[in-house]
């Protein structure tokens, strides 16, 4: 339509606002076959037609990508064989802070199956966000991360984390009302980072933060890139168009 703006992204992020992999796996495949999708900006009601004609890369965000398993072969057959997953795998089961996800054990199984299918380097583990409460102390949190991490050894290369920001987001405040959840103080963040770095001596993951300003490089922790050009260069260097888009050299002999 006249009021519809057209976007032709090279990299498609699906999606930070909705768990498309968990709830709309069939829709993703249908839209890829159609060659476009339509998105409305919730703030100004502007409509966008998202054309996939130039798309070379997809980044999936999910807490439960299991429904995508049966779709991945078809997605690859359409030419969208270049993708990776940002898999958020927290352990707040006892507190029921994430009521609409499978159990931790089920999600660990899904994670391992997904990594086995597509490669451990293409499944990023996110423990996000980190939070404290009367029931969840720093030691409890580190213990839970260690428990998951030991079961994911050999199934991922990277752990990304962030600290919850309650004060800045009204929706977060509303969702957590009554759970007694609180943010980390700056001192607690530093203590946690030191504890995680120590824990990671056994786990051996690359550690990175998401959306955090602090420089934690002295603890071996990087700032994460959600759309990771370094990962793309390492895994998809044989795609000339993608390499050109991210400003990397194309390896024609890869």
């Amino acid at each position: 339509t006249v009021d519809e703006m057209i976007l032709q992204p090279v990299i498609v992020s699906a999606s930070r606002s909705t768990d498309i992999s968990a709830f709309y796996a069939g829709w993703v495949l249908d839209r890829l076959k159609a060659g476009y999708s339509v998105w409305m900006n919730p703030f100004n009601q502007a409509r966008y037609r998202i054309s996939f004609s130039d798309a070379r890369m997809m980044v999936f965000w999910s807490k439960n990508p299991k429904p995508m398993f049966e779709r991945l072969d078809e997605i690859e057959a359409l030419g969208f064989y270049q993708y990776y997953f940002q898999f958020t795998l927290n352990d707040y089961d006892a507190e029921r802070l994430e009521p609409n996800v499978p159990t931790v054990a089920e999600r660990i199984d899904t994670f391992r199956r997904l990594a086995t299918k597509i490669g451990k380097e293409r499944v990023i583990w996110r423990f996000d966000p980190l939070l404290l409460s009367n029931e969840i102390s720093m030691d409890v949190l580190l213990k839970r991360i260690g428990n998951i991490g030991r079961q994911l050894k050999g199934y991922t290369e990277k752990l990304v984390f962030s600290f919850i920001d309650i004060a800045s987001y009204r929706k977060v405040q509303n969702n957590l009302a009554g759970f007694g959840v609180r943010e980390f103080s700056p001192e607690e963040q530093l203590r946690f980072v030191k504890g995680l770095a120590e824990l990671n001596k056994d786990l051996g993951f690359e550690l990175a933060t998401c959306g955090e300003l602090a420089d934690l490089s002295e603890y071996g922790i990087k700032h994460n890139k959600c759309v990771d050009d370094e990962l793309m260069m390492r895994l998809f260097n044989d795609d000339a168009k993608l390499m050109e888009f991210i400003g990397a050299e194309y390896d024609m002999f890869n």
Side-chain angles (χ1 to χ4, degrees):
T1 67
V2 175
D3 296 326
E4 202 170 69
M5 291 172 278
I6 298 177
L7 300 178
Q8 295 175 279
V10 175
I11 300 172
V12 178
S13 181
S15 153
R16 297 188 69 170
S17 59
T18 302
D19 196 334
I20 289 176
S21 296
F23 302 111
Y24 303 103
W27 176 88
V28 170
L29 184 59
D30 289 343
R31 297 326 306 161
L32 291 177
K33 287 179 178 179
Y36 74 95
S37 65
V38 176
W39 176 70
M40 179 177 288
N41 187 317
F43 299 104
N44 59 15
Q45 315 311 297
R47 287 172 58 87
Y48 297 86
R49 175 179 288 254
I50 314 298
S51 168
F52 301 128
S53 59
D54 293 337
R56 306 298 302 169
M57 180 80 206
M58 299 192 73
V59 182
F60 292 109
W61 302 70
S62 187
K63 292 185 178 183
N64 177 30
K66 187 176 181 179
M68 286 293 289
F69 282 0
E70 63 188 70
R71 313 287 182 176
L72 292 179
D73 290 341
E74 294 180 83
I75 289 174
E76 291 182 10
L78 292 172
F80 293 93
Y81 60 93
Q82 297 174 152
Y83 57 84
Y84 67 92
F85 280 81
Q86 303 265 8
F87 193 141
T88 299
L89 176 46
N90 304 324
D91 182 0
Y92 299 125
D93 278 13
E95 294 76 26
R96 299 183 180 181
L97 292 176
E98 297 175 310
N100 297 317
V101 298
T103 66
V104 170
E106 290 175 291
R107 283 176 281 146
I108 290 173
D109 179 67
T110 295
F111 195 111
R112 291 163 62 123
R113 289 175 54 207
L114 179 62
T116 299
K117 180 176 178 64
I118 69 174
K120 65 180 181 179
E121 66 281 355
R122 293 169 68 184
V123 189
I124 311 302
W125 174 27
R126 297 176 65 92
F127 200 108
D128 175 33
L130 297 163
L131 53 84
L132 298 172
S133 72
N134 293 334
E135 292 76 27
I136 307 172
S137 66
M138 207 175 308
D139 288 341
V140 167
L141 203 51
L142 287 168
K143 183 176 180 180
R144 293 181 182 182
I145 291 172
N147 175 56
I148 295 174
R150 282 185 287 274
Q151 296 181 73
L152 296 186
K153 287 183 69 171
Y155 293 93
T156 187
E157 297 178 339
K158 189 174 187 179
L159 166 58
V160 176
F161 64 94
S162 70
F163 297 100
I164 194 168
D165 184 357
I166 300 174
S168 300
Y169 299 97
R170 184 176 298 276
K171 183 177 179 180
V172 175
Q173 295 176 31
N174 294 337
N175 289 343
L176 294 177
F179 285 99
V181 170
R182 67 175 180 86
E183 299 178 3
F184 283 69
S185 69
E187 295 77 15
E188 287 171 329
Q189 288 187 13
L190 185 57
R191 282 173 47 209
F192 177 86
V193 164
K194 290 178 179 178
L196 181 60
E198 183 65 28
L199 176 65
N200 196 51
K201 291 179 181 179
D202 172 58
L203 300 176
F205 299 128
E206 177 186 349
L207 298 179
T209 58
C210 176
E212 302 294 336
L213 298 177
D215 181 0
L216 303 173
S217 56
E218 67 177 291
Y219 305 104
I221 300 172
K222 302 178 180 179
H223 287 294
N224 187 57
K225 297 179 180 179
C226 294
V227 178
D228 193 336
D229 57 345
E230 294 179 4
L231 180 65
M232 293 177 200
M233 284 186 277
R234 179 158 64 92
L235 300 181
F236 309 113
N237 195 259
D238 57 344
D239 187 319
K241 290 184 178 180
L242 179 62
M243 292 302 103
E244 179 182 3
F245 178 75
I246 64 176
E249 293 186 5
Y250 164 54
D251 183 0
M252 64 182 296
F253 299 108
N254 192 322

PDB file of all heavy atoms in Angstrom, residues 161-173:
ATOM      1  N   PHE A 161      25.268 -12.971  29.653  1.00  0.00           N
ATOM      2  CA  PHE A 161      24.408 -12.650  30.800  1.00  0.00           C
ATOM      3  C   PHE A 161      24.199 -11.147  30.909  1.00  0.00           C
ATOM      4  O   PHE A 161      24.956 -10.343  30.356  1.00  0.00           O
ATOM      5  CB  PHE A 161      25.027 -13.188  32.106  1.00  0.00           C
ATOM      6  CG  PHE A 161      26.344 -12.560  32.486  1.00  0.00           C
ATOM      7  CD1 PHE A 161      26.376 -11.473  33.342  1.00  0.00           C
ATOM      8  CD2 PHE A 161      27.547 -13.061  31.998  1.00  0.00           C
ATOM      9  CE1 PHE A 161      27.583 -10.880  33.717  1.00  0.00           C
ATOM     10  CE2 PHE A 161      28.761 -12.488  32.355  1.00  0.00           C
ATOM     11  CZ  PHE A 161      28.781 -11.394  33.214  1.00  0.00           C
ATOM     12  N   SER A 162      23.156 -10.780  31.635  1.00  0.00           N
ATOM     13  CA  SER A 162      22.913  -9.373  31.956  1.00  0.00           C
ATOM     14  C   SER A 162      22.236  -9.300  33.312  1.00  0.00           C
ATOM     15  O   SER A 162      21.625 -10.272  33.771  1.00  0.00           O
ATOM     16  CB  SER A 162      22.037  -8.700  30.892  1.00  0.00           C
ATOM     17  OG  SER A 162      20.716  -9.187  30.963  1.00  0.00           O
ATOM     18  N   PHE A 163      22.343  -8.158  33.951  1.00  0.00           N
ATOM     19  CA  PHE A 163      21.698  -7.918  35.242  1.00  0.00           C
ATOM     20  C   PHE A 163      20.355  -7.241  35.014  1.00  0.00           C
ATOM     21  O   PHE A 163      20.236  -6.332  34.189  1.00  0.00           O
ATOM     22  CB  PHE A 163      22.586  -7.036  36.126  1.00  0.00           C
ATOM     23  CG  PHE A 163      23.904  -7.665  36.470  1.00  0.00           C
ATOM     24  CD1 PHE A 163      25.060  -7.305  35.780  1.00  0.00           C
ATOM     25  CD2 PHE A 163      23.996  -8.619  37.463  1.00  0.00           C
ATOM     26  CE1 PHE A 163      26.283  -7.887  36.085  1.00  0.00           C
ATOM     27  CE2 PHE A 163      25.212  -9.212  37.781  1.00  0.00           C
ATOM     28  CZ  PHE A 163      26.353  -8.848  37.087  1.00  0.00           C
ATOM     29  N   ILE A 164      19.352  -7.672  35.745  1.00  0.00           N
ATOM     30  CA  ILE A 164      18.015  -7.130  35.542  1.00  0.00           C
ATOM     31  C   ILE A 164      17.970  -5.634  35.855  1.00  0.00           C
ATOM     32  O   ILE A 164      18.626  -5.145  36.777  1.00  0.00           O
ATOM     33  CB  ILE A 164      16.976  -7.887  36.407  1.00  0.00           C
ATOM     34  CG1 ILE A 164      15.565  -7.559  35.948  1.00  0.00           C
ATOM     35  CG2 ILE A 164      17.149  -7.575  37.898  1.00  0.00           C
ATOM     36  CD1 ILE A 164      14.500  -8.457  36.525  1.00  0.00           C
ATOM     37  N   ASP A 165      17.213  -4.914  35.036  1.00  0.00           N
ATOM     38  CA  ASP A 165      16.995  -3.481  35.225  1.00  0.00           C
ATOM     39  C   ASP A 165      15.500  -3.284  35.443  1.00  0.00           C
ATOM     40  O   ASP A 165      14.731  -3.226  34.489  1.00  0.00           O
ATOM     41  CB  ASP A 165      17.487  -2.707  33.997  1.00  0.00           C
ATOM     42  CG  ASP A 165      17.376  -1.205  34.170  1.00  0.00           C
ATOM     43  OD1 ASP A 165      16.870  -0.758  35.220  1.00  0.00           O
ATOM     44  OD2 ASP A 165      17.780  -0.473  33.254  1.00  0.00           O
ATOM     45  N   ILE A 166      15.113  -3.211  36.697  1.00  0.00           N
ATOM     46  CA  ILE A 166      13.684  -3.111  37.025  1.00  0.00           C
ATOM     47  C   ILE A 166      13.199  -1.669  36.966  1.00  0.00           C
ATOM     48  O   ILE A 166      12.122  -1.376  36.438  1.00  0.00           O
ATOM     49  CB  ILE A 166      13.414  -3.695  38.430  1.00  0.00           C
ATOM     50  CG1 ILE A 166      13.833  -5.174  38.476  1.00  0.00           C
ATOM     51  CG2 ILE A 166      11.937  -3.554  38.796  1.00  0.00           C
ATOM     52  CD1 ILE A 166      13.727  -5.793  39.859  1.00  0.00           C
ATOM     53  N   ALA A 167      14.003  -0.762  37.464  1.00  0.00           N
ATOM     54  CA  ALA A 167      13.559   0.622  37.618  1.00  0.00           C
ATOM     55  C   ALA A 167      13.236   1.289  36.290  1.00  0.00           C
ATOM     56  O   ALA A 167      12.348   2.147  36.219  1.00  0.00           O
ATOM     57  CB  ALA A 167      14.629   1.427  38.361  1.00  0.00           C
ATOM     58  N   SER A 168      13.915   0.904  35.217  1.00  0.00           N
ATOM     59  CA  SER A 168      13.764   1.592  33.933  1.00  0.00           C
ATOM     60  C   SER A 168      12.582   1.118  33.113  1.00  0.00           C
ATOM     61  O   SER A 168      12.223   1.749  32.123  1.00  0.00           O
ATOM     62  CB  SER A 168      15.051   1.435  33.104  1.00  0.00           C
ATOM     63  OG  SER A 168      16.159   1.979  33.788  1.00  0.00           O
ATOM     64  N   TYR A 169      11.984  -0.013  33.510  1.00  0.00           N
ATOM     65  CA  TYR A 169      10.944  -0.598  32.668  1.00  0.00           C
ATOM     66  C   TYR A 169       9.682  -0.895  33.482  1.00  0.00           C
ATOM     67  O   TYR A 169       9.664  -1.772  34.331  1.00  0.00           O
ATOM     68  CB  TYR A 169      11.450  -1.894  32.023  1.00  0.00           C
ATOM     69  CG  TYR A 169      12.658  -1.670  31.141  1.00  0.00           C
ATOM     70  CD1 TYR A 169      13.945  -1.902  31.628  1.00  0.00           C
ATOM     71  CD2 TYR A 169      12.519  -1.209  29.833  1.00  0.00           C
ATOM     72  CE1 TYR A 169      15.060  -1.695  30.825  1.00  0.00           C
ATOM     73  CE2 TYR A 169      13.616  -1.000  29.027  1.00  0.00           C
ATOM     74  CZ  TYR A 169      14.889  -1.245  29.522  1.00  0.00           C
ATOM     75  OH  TYR A 169      15.982  -1.030  28.736  1.00  0.00           O
ATOM     76  N   ARG A 170       8.624  -0.143  33.182  1.00  0.00           N
ATOM     77  CA  ARG A 170       7.357  -0.310  33.907  1.00  0.00           C
ATOM     78  C   ARG A 170       6.789  -1.715  33.711  1.00  0.00           C
ATOM     79  O   ARG A 170       6.235  -2.299  34.651  1.00  0.00           O
ATOM     80  CB  ARG A 170       6.347   0.740  33.441  1.00  0.00           C
ATOM     81  CG  ARG A 170       5.029   0.705  34.219  1.00  0.00           C
ATOM     82  CD  ARG A 170       4.107   1.820  33.775  1.00  0.00           C
ATOM     83  NE  ARG A 170       4.704   3.109  34.028  1.00  0.00           N
ATOM     84  CZ  ARG A 170       4.659   3.743  35.200  1.00  0.00           C
ATOM     85  NH1 ARG A 170       4.045   3.155  36.226  1.00  0.00           N
ATOM     86  NH2 ARG A 170       5.208   4.932  35.350  1.00  0.00           N
ATOM     87  N   LYS A 171       6.910  -2.264  32.496  1.00  0.00           N
ATOM     88  CA  LYS A 171       6.377  -3.594  32.242  1.00  0.00           C
ATOM     89  C   LYS A 171       7.061  -4.628  33.122  1.00  0.00           C
ATOM     90  O   LYS A 171       6.423  -5.544  33.647  1.00  0.00           O
ATOM     91  CB  LYS A 171       6.550  -3.962  30.764  1.00  0.00           C
ATOM     92  CG  LYS A 171       5.954  -5.316  30.402  1.00  0.00           C
ATOM     93  CD  LYS A 171       6.080  -5.604  28.919  1.00  0.00           C
ATOM     94  CE  LYS A 171       5.499  -6.964  28.578  1.00  0.00           C
ATOM     95  NZ  LYS A 171       5.617  -7.269  27.120  1.00  0.00           N
ATOM     96  N   VAL A 172       8.385  -4.494  33.286  1.00  0.00           N
ATOM     97  CA  VAL A 172       9.132  -5.406  34.150  1.00  0.00           C
ATOM     98  C   VAL A 172       8.653  -5.272  35.587  1.00  0.00           C
ATOM     99  O   VAL A 172       8.463  -6.266  36.292  1.00  0.00           O
ATOM    100  CB  VAL A 172      10.653  -5.139  34.050  1.00  0.00           C
ATOM    101  CG1 VAL A 172      11.421  -6.006  35.045  1.00  0.00           C
ATOM    102  CG2 VAL A 172      11.151  -5.409  32.636  1.00  0.00           C
ATOM    103  N   GLN A 173       8.440  -4.042  36.034  1.00  0.00           N
ATOM    104  CA  GLN A 173       7.939  -3.811  37.388  1.00  0.00           C
ATOM    105  C   GLN A 173       6.602  -4.520  37.596  1.00  0.00           C
ATOM    106  O   GLN A 173       6.391  -5.185  38.621  1.00  0.00           O
ATOM    107  CB  GLN A 173       7.780  -2.312  37.628  1.00  0.00           C
ATOM    108  CG  GLN A 173       9.084  -1.520  37.600  1.00  0.00           C
ATOM    109  CD  GLN A 173       8.836  -0.027  37.742  1.00  0.00           C
ATOM    110  OE1 GLN A 173       7.885   0.410  38.387  1.00  0.00           O
ATOM    111  NE2 GLN A 173       9.699   0.771  37.119  1.00  0.00           N
TER     112      GLN A 173
END
